[in-house]
Amino acid sequence: MQASKWFDICDKSILSPNTGVCALVDGKQIAVFWESKNDQLYAISNYCPFSKTHSLSRGLIGDSKGELLVASPLYKQRFSLQTGQCLDDQAISVPVYPVRETKGRIEISLD
Amino acid sequence: MQRIIVVGNGMVGHRFIDEALTQSGSFQLTTFSEEPRLAYDRVQLSSYFSGATVDDLMMTSESYYDEKGVEYFINDRVASIDRSAKTITTTQGRTESYDKLVLATGSTPFVPPIPRPDDEAAKQHILVYRTIEDLEAMKASAKQSKVGVVIGGGLLGLEAAKALKDLGLQTHVVEFAPRLMAVQIDQSGGDILRSKIEELGVHVHTDKNTQAIEPGEDTRYLMKFADGSVLETDMILFSAGIRPQDQLARDCELAIGPRGGIAINDQCQTSDPDIYAVGECALWDGKIFGLVAPGYSMAKVASAHLSGDAAASFQGADMSTKLKLMGVDVASIGDAHAQTEGALSYSLCDEAKQVYKKVVTNAAGDKLLGAILVGDASDYGAWLQLYLNDMTLPVAPEYLLVPSTEEGAASAGMGVEALPDTAQICSCYDVTKGQIAQAVKDGATTMADIKSCTGAATGCGGCSALANQVLNSELEKLGVEVSSAICEHFDYSRQELADIVKVKQIRSFEQLLEECGSGHGCEICKPAVGSILASFWNDYVLEDEHIGLQDTNDIFLGNMQKDGTYSVVPRIAGGEITPDMLMVIAEVAKEFDLYTKITGGQRIDLFGAQLHELPLIWQKLCDAGFETGHAYGKSVRTVKSCVGSTWCRYGVQDSVGMAILLENRYKGLRSPHKLKFAVSGCTRECAEAQSKDIGVIATDAGWALYVCGNGGMRPRHADLFASDLDDVTLMRYIDRILMFYVRTADRLQRTSVWMENLEGGLDYLKQVVIDDSLNLCDELEADMSRVVENYQCEWKTTLSDDKKLQRFRQFVNADGSDPQLQYVRERGQRRPATEDERRIDIVEVR
């Protein structure tokens, strides 16, 4: 099997704790979040299917019963950061992407 | 094991399979589809042109059928049935035997026999609207066309017209009847619908009997009508109704209705008991049901009957319907045309608001038999319940039409308590009030619980408000105390959290979470705590320990609009501005092409700024001496004023001067909700101070202070708090009132509601603020002076911080703007393109 291709995004030091940024990877808009308490990174699509805008990276993150989530900044629907599943509408989910930190740099894969 | 063959894999055929899979009987299921793919959502077809992909429309998948052991053949049509041998033969030459056969062949579009060209071009440009292949043909034709006509102004025809509009064609709808949607609505409703649709740029032609389609001169075709008129077009779409696809049944001599349709009994069996028919191909009691919900009911009945449930029975279906056609709400309930003997009609036609409502009642006027709603269908849910449950009307019929002057009185009359347990709340998943009540008894306490255990409100979502009301009323019935805890992360109310922050001198969310909370926090508690921290300590809200608490607007110090861009509002204290400063705003607006509008708070809102433009815009504004207007915060917004004694011949005090003084004192104060002020220079009250949280009105002897007024959704007149105050006392009282509000109000509670919930009300507030009954006033004033001392223009701070500025980019790893944004110009300015106007669909690229 071919090894995953990782795209270099940015230096981790420019992230603010418990917020998101949007990365443009191969034409896709991907929201990257840094949860600082456990120092975890998450990447999901930046596209909010409810408002039809690329905005999820600008949402507020938190948890519901332990499940980490981002709330859409426009109409507040919540999406799991781990699975992309919308917590307020079972029929809706957004893609999630592998993300990692390598030597202080954030990297995303589209696999 | 019974071998069941399902002929047709449309929505209803697939639903039958899903139902059969849940039955206890053991079946071997096989299905054939003549289309190149398995079942997809035909109801949502038009969304294909506004962004949905084929994958989005799919209702099942090959892997799902594989997993469930369902055998399937696509691109293969069942061509004949041999009833004596109990076999079917397909166009690809397969012969399969069955124990039971289920016909779910659906319908075909009706194409009226109009003389028309029959060449290769006609195959490409004279089309129907039913399958995904039809949509692809429409797309291909649209590329070579400028004008498109839909023949048929019914529900599907209007859907198709929307599709043509989305494809960028000049769109016409041609209807034989004198109005649109002739089956569902009457002439008056049709008139309103027509004018609304025409407003959207679709041309509507009613009373048109198409006689011939001929080659055109400037366009591909010329349509000729019976009245002598003509219409030029490049493509034509037939959507003039459906016909049951019953040929297979005819060929094997099953009973067929006089006008088509495979006759079925209450168990959905045809004249051959081993053959069932469901959906639009089936004829029950002389009726074809052209909606998907009755088809689903038939699928359920057929599968239950096949598994041995002799009692399963189809009893017809309610054809009431509510839909949004090109953004226009249209709904029809029951006997909309008042055909029942003795039926009475009541109607309301509001041409100004473009709303039409009609109710049909029995002769006694106490039961609802039918209704029509056009332009505003918000009454649909309540009225449908009245109709379906045969309930006695809570008010006289005419009052159903007119919103009651007593706010909410009418809806209270039809409270959910009045509904029987059998009342259907969610029609998509057939969830009754009783099922929701049971879920609550079983422990559901939130809408999320209700959705996951009953499925209610997870389809079209139209019932969510009603479902929520049922949830709350059931919770109340069980005596469940609604917890005052702000959310799952803190067992405290906002007021308690504010006290904890204050008493324990807590400076960050992390600290508070460690002190008295759990988990990570959420979109409820984080902004609330962020606001409390800002109210007391007034730190820079974008500091690392605070930034994650800031809601949508605060985090980028701008007001996010529907398309994800921001609006910018510089502070214009008291509404006073020099021509030079106005020019600065004008120049900035012009340079960044910002939509410009005067606000109700006497300042100027500039719309359409993208993230990366915000710092550039604010740099120019700050350089010229502007400060942030905090329009994005739950904080003090504006102090509106009239021109006062300086110019006005009636003014008795300098209201502008006082407004500027107050605005500069309280600007930036974060609070449980937004705060609006006004100062009027005399009793004529031109600044409308009595509708504000803090209203000040000049008197001969000083100032009168009014508190806790509100405009907006629920207006409230402010209460007179004290009169004839001098400047210093006025401000001292305002300091105390605001800080007391900040400490004791609930999250997102305006001062008006806060006052109404304050035990003892206005008198109590006077005791606290004027008589210092709680011995708290020194503290309240000290808190306020700390906020005033720590004021900073958040934009100025941000502009001087390179790391913070890095956040103001659309992409962290690339320059540039969001390519999905699209604008059109209107009245000389730009505004976001509507979904209909967008030329490139917003789609997530997977």
Side-chain angles (χ1 to χ4, degrees):
Chain A
M1 209 171 87
Q2 214 181 347
S4 300
K5 184 178 173 198
W6 291 91
F7 293 83
D8 178 69
I9 304 300
C10 65
D11 219 74
K12 188 175 167 197
S13 63
I14 73 171
L15 301 186
S16 295
N18 300 312
T19 63
V21 291
C22 174
L24 187 65
V25 185
D26 199 18
K28 288 186 166 66
Q29 296 196 29
I30 298 177
V32 182
F33 299 94
W34 177 34
E35 187 276 292
S36 65
K37 198 163 154 188
N38 302 318
D39 192 15
Q40 292 291 314
L41 293 165
Y42 299 89
I44 69 173
S45 166
N46 193 37
Y47 181 73
C48 165
F50 295 96
S51 62
K52 300 189 177 163
T53 60
H54 286 279
S55 58
L56 290 182
S57 59
R58 292 177 266 163
L60 205 136
I61 67 172
D63 83 284
S64 170
K65 294 166 190 155
E67 170 131 45
L68 278 171
L69 56 87
V70 59
S72 152
L74 278 153
Y75 303 117
K76 308 293 179 206
Q77 292 90 355
R78 300 165 302 159
F79 297 87
S80 161
L81 292 181
Q82 242 139 12
T83 64
Q85 175 64 47
C86 175
L87 275 58
D88 300 302
D89 183 345
Q90 283 190 320
I92 303 279
S93 66
V94 296
V96 292
Y97 300 93
V99 56
R100 69 180 184 189
E101 180 190 347
T102 306
K103 292 179 190 147
R105 301 284 298 176
I106 305 289
E107 296 182 331
I108 290 180
S109 159
L110 296 181
D111 295 339
Chain B
M1 189 186 279
Q2 286 206 78
R3 179 131 205 244
I4 300 178
I5 293 182
V6 183
V7 183
N9 194 257
M11 297 175 79
V12 174
H14 168 65
R15 185 59 164 252
F16 173 84
I17 290 170
D18 251 357
E19 291 285 348
L21 288 171
T22 67
Q23 299 288 352
S24 50
S26 73
F27 302 126
Q28 164 63 50
L29 290 159
T30 303
T31 182
F32 291 88
S33 174
E34 62 176 332
E35 291 188 47
R37 59 180 66 77
L38 293 172
Y40 53 88
D41 191 347
R42 259 187 247 278
V43 177
Q44 302 292 337
L45 267 194
S46 70
S47 68
Y48 184 70
F49 294 108
S50 47
T53 62
V54 172
D55 278 349
D56 293 335
L57 292 173
M58 291 308 292
M59 303 187 72
T60 183
S61 64
E62 301 191 352
S63 58
Y64 175 77
Y65 278 0
D66 285 339
E67 183 192 319
K68 297 286 180 188
V70 177
E71 198 180 13
Y72 54 88
F73 298 95
I74 53 176
N75 277 321
D76 199 4
R77 188 165 62 82
V78 173
S80 64
I81 301 169
D82 183 339
R83 285 167 51 197
S84 52
K86 292 183 103 172
T87 58
I88 57 105
T89 305
T90 71
T91 45
Q92 290 195 15
R94 277 191 190 83
T95 298
E96 304 278 343
S97 64
Y98 64 83
D99 296 315
K100 305 280 181 193
L101 191 64
V102 177
L103 300 176
T105 48
S107 61
T108 50
F110 169 60
V111 179
I114 300 169
R116 59 179 184 270
D118 183 22
D119 49 14
E120 267 313 302
K123 286 197 182 86
Q124 289 169 34
H125 303 295
I126 301 182
L127 304 166
V128 294
Y129 180 73
R130 174 137 189 105
T131 65
I132 285 176
E133 282 63 40
D134 295 335
L135 301 185
E136 282 162 359
M138 282 165 69
K139 231 176 191 170
S141 170
K143 283 194 184 128
Q144 309 164 43
S145 304
K146 287 202 178 82
V147 188
V149 169
V150 178
I151 299 184
L155 196 158
L156 265 182
L158 294 178
E159 283 272 330
K162 171 167 189 332
L164 292 189
K165 190 102 209 323
D166 286 344
L167 287 168
L169 297 186
Q170 186 197 325
T171 305
H172 297 263
V173 173
V174 170
E175 168 59 48
F176 181 77
R179 61 175 181 274
L180 296 172
M181 293 190 67
V183 179
Q184 291 89 356
I185 63 180
D186 61 8
Q187 191 63 42
S188 306
D191 289 344
I192 296 273
L193 177 61
R194 177 192 184 126
S195 76
K196 295 200 94 158
I197 283 179
E198 286 184 332
E199 257 171 42
L200 301 170
V202 173
H203 305 270
V204 178
H205 312 266
T206 49
D207 262 328
K208 291 287 179 197
N209 179 1
T210 312
Q211 297 229 300
I213 298 168
E214 295 172 0
E217 282 178 19
D218 298 331
T219 54
R220 203 171 281 127
Y221 300 114
L222 181 72
M223 297 173 64
K224 291 190 167 170
F225 303 112
D227 61 4
S229 58
V230 296
L231 183 60
E232 293 190 304
T233 185
D234 295 312
M235 76 176 289
I236 293 169
L237 206 56
F238 280 104
S239 184
I242 55 164
R243 291 291 178 269
Q245 193 156 294
D246 54 13
Q247 195 57 44
L248 259 182
R250 283 175 194 272
D251 292 345
C252 67
E253 296 180 339
L254 292 174
I256 301 288
R259 286 188 297 153
I262 309 166
I264 58 169
N265 62 14
D266 291 353
Q267 282 68 48
C268 299
Q269 288 167 302
T270 65
S271 53
D272 178 339
D274 287 332
I275 303 182
Y276 292 73
V278 292
E280 290 177 346
C281 65
L283 181 77
W284 178 86
D285 192 26
K287 293 190 274 270
I288 297 278
F289 293 92
L291 294 177
V292 73
Y296 283 176
S297 304
M298 291 182 197
K300 196 172 179 175
V301 168
S303 82
H305 190 254
L306 265 165
S307 327
D309 178 1
S313 160
F314 179 72
Q315 289 300 326
D318 176 53
M319 297 295 278
S320 298
T321 177
K322 179 180 104 166
L323 51 146
K324 224 184 183 70
L325 291 166
M326 294 188 249
V328 184
D329 283 319
V330 180
S332 166
I333 294 173
D335 181 12
H337 297 294
Q339 283 160 347
T340 311
E341 206 182 316
L344 301 171
S345 295
Y346 302 76
S347 62
L348 169 79
C349 183
D350 183 340
E351 289 189 341
K353 290 191 184 134
Q354 296 267 292
V355 170
Y356 175 72
K357 298 179 177 188
K358 169 170 143 182
V359 294
V360 177
T361 68
N362 59 356
D366 63 353
K367 294 280 170 75
L368 190 70
L369 301 179
I372 294 173
L373 291 160
V374 179
D376 172 7
S378 50
D379 292 318
Y380 178 77
W383 290 7
L384 184 65
Q385 293 299 337
L386 289 175
Y387 164 69
L388 290 177
N389 300 299
D390 199 28
M391 294 162 75
T392 301
L393 297 184
V395 290
E398 60 268 32
Y399 291 111
L400 287 177
L401 298 172
V402 193
S404 166
T405 44
E406 287 275 309
E407 195 187 352
S411 52
M414 299 194 272
V416 288
E417 292 81 13
L419 294 177
D421 273 357
T422 51
Q424 188 188 52
I425 304 296
C426 170
S427 56
C428 296
Y429 287 89
D430 189 17
V431 181
T432 62
K433 180 187 164 193
Q435 284 168 285
I436 294 178
Q438 188 57 45
V440 173
K441 281 183 196 125
D442 294 343
T445 56
T446 64
M447 264 313 279
D449 294 344
I450 295 295
K451 284 180 184 177
S452 66
C453 63
T454 67
T458 60
C460 71
C463 67
S464 52
L466 190 59
N468 199 10
Q469 285 171 30
V470 174
L471 167 68
N472 288 339
S473 101
E474 293 301 321
L475 281 172
E476 244 169 65
K477 262 192 231 164
L478 290 182
V480 174
E481 200 179 322
V482 178
S483 160
S484 65
I486 190 164
C487 69
E488 67 178 82
H489 303 101
F490 294 97
D491 272 337
Y492 299 96
S493 66
R494 183 196 176 277
Q495 181 179 348
E496 289 164 337
L497 287 176
D499 284 343
I500 294 169
V501 166
K502 174 92 175 101
V503 171
K504 304 209 166 179
Q505 299 275 306
I506 286 172
R507 305 296 295 237
S508 74
F509 182 76
E510 288 302 315
Q511 226 182 318
L512 184 66
L513 205 57
E514 268 172 41
E515 183 73 35
C516 64
S518 64
H520 293 265
C522 66
E523 76 284 2
I524 309 288
C525 62
K526 279 183 166 181
V529 172
S531 163
I532 294 170
L533 292 169
S535 292
F536 287 133
W537 319 125
N538 211 7
D539 291 335
Y540 175 47
V541 295
L542 300 188
E543 279 304 345
D544 270 0
E545 69 256 42
H546 302 316
I547 190 167
L549 309 179
Q550 308 307 325
D551 214 341
T552 310
N553 291 343
D554 290 270
I555 195 166
F556 289 108
L557 308 176
N559 291 50
M560 191 188 270
Q561 304 298 325
K562 65 192 281 188
D563 65 346
T565 64
Y566 294 86
S567 81
V568 169
V569 186
R571 185 168 299 285
I572 302 177
E576 182 186 83
I577 186 165
T578 64
D580 282 337
M581 293 298 261
L582 257 185
M583 267 155 52
V584 172
I585 293 185
E587 277 159 16
V588 168
K590 200 165 177 181
E591 178 177 348
F592 293 90
D593 192 17
L594 301 172
Y595 170 83
T596 306
K597 189 170 187 315
I598 309 284
T599 72
Q602 301 188 335
R603 41 196 196 169
I604 299 175
D605 208 342
L606 309 171
F607 292 79
Q610 295 184 51
L611 267 188
H612 66 273
E613 293 173 325
L614 286 175
L616 305 173
I617 290 168
W618 277 106
Q619 188 70 59
K620 290 186 191 258
L621 292 172
C622 288
D623 285 350
F626 279 108
E627 287 186 340
T628 178
H630 286 100
Y632 44 79
K634 300 287 180 234
S635 58
V636 173
R637 296 282 173 86
T638 67
V639 183
K640 186 178 174 179
S641 69
C642 68
V643 73
S645 59
T646 327
W647 285 88
C648 177
R649 59 202 162 106
Y650 302 112
V652 293
Q653 303 277 354
D654 176 13
S655 49
V656 177
M658 177 52 77
I660 293 171
L661 197 66
L662 291 178
E663 183 155 345
N664 282 327
R665 178 168 181 80
Y666 301 110
K667 64 187 175 187
L669 171 69
R670 293 292 205 287
S671 46
H673 211 310
K674 62 186 169 190
L675 288 166
K676 296 183 176 181
F677 290 28
V679 182
S680 279
C682 78
T683 183
R684 287 174 183 73
E685 239 283 71
C686 295
E688 298 165 329
Q690 289 169 92
S691 65
K692 301 289 187 272
D693 299 278
I694 298 290
V696 178
I697 301 176
T699 63
D700 288 337
W703 304 101
L705 173 60
Y706 287 78
V707 297
C708 305
N710 204 167
M713 191 159 69
R714 215 171 64 93
R716 180 182 191 275
H717 259 276
D719 294 309
L720 178 62
F721 187 81
S723 306
D724 297 335
L725 304 173
D726 59 50
D727 290 7
V728 174
T729 313
L730 173 70
M731 278 196 276
R732 185 177 293 149
Y733 283 177
I734 297 176
D735 278 5
R736 296 172 183 178
I737 293 168
L738 290 181
M739 266 302 158
F740 191 54
Y741 163 65
V742 161
R743 280 178 72 160
T744 59
D746 244 345
R747 140 181 191 274
L748 302 182
Q749 189 176 44
R750 292 289 299 265
T751 56
S752 54
V753 182
W754 168 69
M755 159 73 92
E756 281 163 10
N757 289 332
L758 210 56
E759 218 165 301
L762 182 66
D763 287 338
Y764 174 71
L765 189 62
K766 282 183 184 170
Q767 286 163 20
V768 173
V769 170
I770 301 176
D771 309 332
D772 199 7
S773 62
L774 297 182
N775 198 15
L776 197 63
C777 287
D778 285 348
E779 197 180 321
L780 295 174
E781 280 177 42
D783 286 343
M784 184 60 85
S785 35
R786 186 170 46 240
V787 171
V788 173
E789 277 160 26
N790 289 345
Y791 169 80
Q792 57 188 309
C793 168
E794 290 157 351
W795 264 110
K796 198 172 165 198
T797 310
T798 305
L799 288 170
S800 61
D801 185 334
D802 285 339
K803 181 169 178 200
K804 295 301 170 203
L805 285 176
Q806 282 180 339
R807 290 183 46 74
F808 290 86
R809 302 172 76 189
Q810 177 69 22
F811 306 116
V812 69
N813 61 337
D815 288 331
S817 48
D818 182 348
Q820 298 279 9
L821 297 172
Q822 287 181 43
Y823 295 92
V824 295
R825 300 204 79 84
E826 187 174 79
R827 298 186 291 275
Q829 303 204 66
R830 89 181 143 111
R831 62 158 172 81
T834 64
E835 248 181 87
D836 286 342
E837 287 163 343
R838 292 183 69 92
R839 297 307 302 264
I840 307 160
D841 297 323
I842 314 179
V843 256
E844 163 63 11
V845 189
R846 286 182 194 236

